[in-house]
Amino acid sequence: MPHQSQPQPPDELDAEAVRTWSSLALAALGRAREDIDAINVYPVADADTGTNLYLTAESAARALEAAVGSTPADVSGTPSLARAVRAYAHGALIGARGNSGTILAQLLRGVADVLGDEPDDREPGRLLAQALRRAAEEAYQAVAHPVEGTMLTVAAAAARAGEAAGAEAGSAADVARAAYDGARAALADTPGQLAELGRAGVVDAGGCGLVAVLGALWQALSGQQPAPEAVRGRAVPVPQPCDAEEQGGPAYEVIYLLEATEPAVAELRRRLDGLGDSLVVVGGDGLWNVHVHVDDPGAAVEAGVVAGRPYRIRITHFGDERRRARGERVQRAVVAVVPGEGLAGLCGEAGATTVLARPGEAPDAEGLVDAIRRAHAREVVLLPGGADQREAAAAAAEQARADGVRVAVIPTRSAVQALAALAVHDPEGSFDEDVVAMTAAAGATRYGELAVAERQSFTSAGICQAGDVLGLIDGDVAVIGSGLTETAEAVLERMLGSGGELVTLVLGPEVPDALAERLEEYVQHGHLAVDTVTYRGGRYSAPLLIGVE
């Protein structure tokens, strides 16, 4: 649940203000989502800019709350501003969606690069103005071929206005208000700067979202409500937007996270720039988010492999997005049942329609049928996520088939098997071949889990007491321990005893990052050829899920 505190008094530029900004920005983008989607005509009229900005902000908000929601970060016992802005920017980076979301992530990184320094004697207003300037500069640098009349133009205008207010010794709230007003004025001018917007009679969709985010910043620092018409994405009166019709340009959008060095990323930019357009590479310090539009998605992913280690790869066919926007069915979709909000976001980024399974509340057939209908596809691959959900999955598949949808159920027994299946999903291949490949990937993934015993009971590993940590492998209790770390290491050692090339760790909401770091070191020292990836399962997920492929 996003943070819900009230706006701070003016000039309180601290971690609580960042949390309030995050909450208000997410709410504003939620209200503006459909309006912004409707005016999305550039760079591709796929009616998803509002949705992408919202999902990016949602990922940022989750990371922020995980980092500072309950954990003090300085000697006063109060979460620090530096910790808050860094977590906010990192969450946007790892969850960025689409061209607009990727640029928003880099804007937040620019803010964090300034506000994330240790406190100094700079006045809050000047500090915020400097952060907005850095944000605009880094966003321009991240885009291979910047175009005016877009979100970048709005960001630059906001930075200029903020700097002017900061130079007059304005408060942080004054700077935020000036930036917001500057952004609104720049947004109104975008139809005259970009031909596509002028023909459609709309303002830039990404710029609309940025105005909402800046309005939320001003509200967080001043307590004053931005103008409703701007929050809804209607900064200027505009005619009705054009339909998202088929247009020229690359057919696919490719997005992935990438672990790589800066020199390798510089070469990657060069290679991807030759493959397509709308290239945006954001991030730094070894972790990047890559976004590009291409006709050959395989070549774009291969370029990432050459540069480093790409993961969370998402490939979207623009024709599918446009058909969904018009209410038409896409050819194929994946529906996945997942036990955790973070896992739901992760699978959603991979293109799946997700169903959240809360503890003790497995989804019924009706809920799965609803998800299949929301996927709006002719063919659906259903990943039930557990043996206890197979009956409901089978019933849902039967009902969907009666509605004319071709459905295949892959008998996944854990979320890590669903992740493995999604990693090989090929929406462009034949249905049967796709199902076979996904089934094979899921079946080749051994799965483990840590749980805490609620009472004394007999298990396949002996008698456990209430509070013991249980290590399960392929559904059976294999280890009984007293702590998470030693039990996890024992489970990993057993699972890797029969080989493996990749370990996937999914951490529960209360599990510290230190556990993942300890387990990654454990794998590296004992199994040099094995790679490790770590994700956050989010609320409702188990303390630890382990996959070995």
Side-chain angles (χ1 to χ4, degrees):
M1 177 71 70
H3 177 57
Q4 296 292 334
S5 66
Q6 294 300 311
Q8 296 292 293
D11 229 28
E12 285 292 334
L13 191 57
D14 55 15
E16 188 63 18
V18 176
R19 295 179 71 199
T20 304
W21 178 27
S22 169
S23 175
L24 292 171
L26 186 62
L29 289 171
R31 291 191 297 270
R33 183 174 179 168
E34 292 184 1
D35 282 344
I36 295 175
D37 280 346
I39 63 172
N40 173 201
V41 299
Y42 183 86
V44 177
D46 49 356
D48 67 353
T49 292
T51 297
N52 287 337
L53 286 168
Y54 177 83
L55 293 175
T56 302
E58 187 178 48
S59 176
R62 283 198 303 265
L64 174 61
E65 287 305 300
V68 304
S70 59
T71 305
D74 61 22
V75 293
S76 69
T78 301
S80 71
L81 172 63
R83 181 186 180 111
V85 293
R86 288 172 184 158
Y88 193 37
H90 179 73
L93 173 68
I94 63 175
R97 298 284 290 270
N99 188 72
S100 56
T102 309
I103 293 174
L104 176 61
Q106 191 69 356
L107 288 167
L108 293 179
R109 178 181 173 85
V111 169
D113 283 345
V114 174
L115 301 186
D117 289 339
E118 292 303 315
D120 56 25
D121 57 358
R122 286 174 292 181
E123 297 176 358
R126 293 182 184 272
L127 188 63
L128 180 58
Q130 183 181 346
L132 294 172
R133 166 56 61 188
R134 180 76 65 85
E137 291 173 348
E138 292 191 9
Y140 268 89
Q141 292 167 5
V143 178
H145 302 285
V147 175
E148 296 305 328
T150 65
M151 189 175 183
L152 295 175
T153 306
V154 175
R160 288 192 298 270
E163 278 191 316
E168 297 176 0
S171 69
D174 292 335
V175 170
R177 172 62 190 265
Y180 171 59
D181 287 342
R184 293 181 70 199
L187 180 65
D189 291 338
T190 56
Q193 296 173 302
L194 196 56
E196 290 88 341
L197 302 179
R199 285 195 297 269
V202 298
V203 294
D204 179 65
C208 251
L210 182 56
V211 166
V213 172
L214 290 170
L217 175 61
W218 173 51
Q219 185 178 0
L221 293 171
S222 69
Q224 299 184 54
Q225 183 82 27
E229 68 273 10
V231 171
R232 289 198 306 270
R234 304 294 187 185
V236 294
V238 296
Q240 290 298 311
C242 64
D243 291 334
E245 297 178 352
E246 298 290 339
Q247 40 180 241
Y252 295 91
E253 177 184 62
V254 178
I255 304 177
Y256 50 80
L257 290 179
L258 177 71
E259 293 178 356
T261 64
E262 288 198 20
V265 169
E267 176 61 20
L268 174 67
R269 290 177 191 269
R270 187 191 66 78
R271 292 188 62 181
L272 291 179
D273 197 25
L275 290 175
D277 59 29
S278 296
L279 173 60
V280 186
V281 181
V282 304
D285 301 321
L287 180 62
W288 311 82
N289 191 306
V290 179
H291 169 280
V292 66
H293 295 173
V294 294
D295 282 319
D296 186 351
V301 174
E302 179 60 29
V305 173
V306 172
R309 188 177 74 84
Y311 60 103
R312 293 199 193 179
I313 300 167
R314 178 181 173 86
I315 300 173
T316 303
H317 189 278
F318 286 124
D320 288 348
E321 292 299 304
R322 295 187 187 106
R323 283 191 288 272
R324 280 196 179 100
R326 293 196 298 263
E328 301 173 9
R329 285 189 177 187
V330 298
Q331 183 59 31
R332 188 176 310 150
V334 176
V335 173
V337 179
V338 289
E341 292 180 341
L343 283 167
L346 187 62
C347 291
E349 290 167 9
T353 298
T354 59
V355 180
L356 184 62
R358 296 175 174 82
E361 299 179 18
D364 56 16
E366 183 178 350
L368 295 180
V369 169
D370 177 67
I372 292 172
R373 288 172 177 161
R374 282 190 287 114
H376 213 58
R378 298 181 182 89
E379 301 168 340
V380 170
V381 181
L382 179 57
L383 309 176
D388 60 334
Q389 294 154 18
R390 289 185 191 172
E391 184 176 341
E398 196 64 31
Q399 185 171 338
R401 291 181 189 121
D403 293 338
V405 181
R406 188 179 184 187
V407 182
V409 179
I410 295 179
T412 51
R413 294 173 289 174
S414 170
V416 291
Q417 290 187 325
L419 292 175
L422 278 168
V424 301
H425 171 50
D426 179 13
E428 300 304 312
S430 77
F431 184 72
D432 291 336
E433 290 176 352
D434 194 24
V435 170
V436 168
M438 294 177 72
T439 301
T445 302
R446 301 191 69 195
Y447 63 97
E449 178 180 342
L450 294 194
V452 178
E454 296 181 356
R455 64 183 68 86
Q456 183 187 67
S457 61
F458 291 93
T459 75
S460 52
I463 300 176
C464 71
Q465 305 296 327
D468 283 347
V469 178
L470 307 181
L472 292 82
I473 299 177
D474 295 337
D476 295 322
V477 176
V479 179
I480 300 175
S482 58
L484 288 176
T485 302
E486 56 266 33
T487 307
E489 289 178 349
V491 169
L492 268 173
E493 189 59 34
R494 293 197 184 195
M495 294 180 72
L496 289 170
S498 56
E501 298 177 353
L502 175 66
V503 170
T504 300
L505 304 175
V506 181
L507 275 62
E510 306 300 327
V511 176
D513 291 335
L515 175 62
E517 295 168 0
R518 172 75 176 269
L519 295 179
E520 288 174 2
E521 292 177 2
Y522 181 80
V523 172
Q524 289 172 359
H525 290 159
H527 306 272
L528 296 178
V530 178
D531 292 326
T532 306
V533 295
T534 302
Y535 304 113
R536 276 283 176 185
R539 189 168 55 159
Y540 305 126
S541 66
L544 180 67
L545 298 177
I546 302 172
V548 175
E549 302 174 46

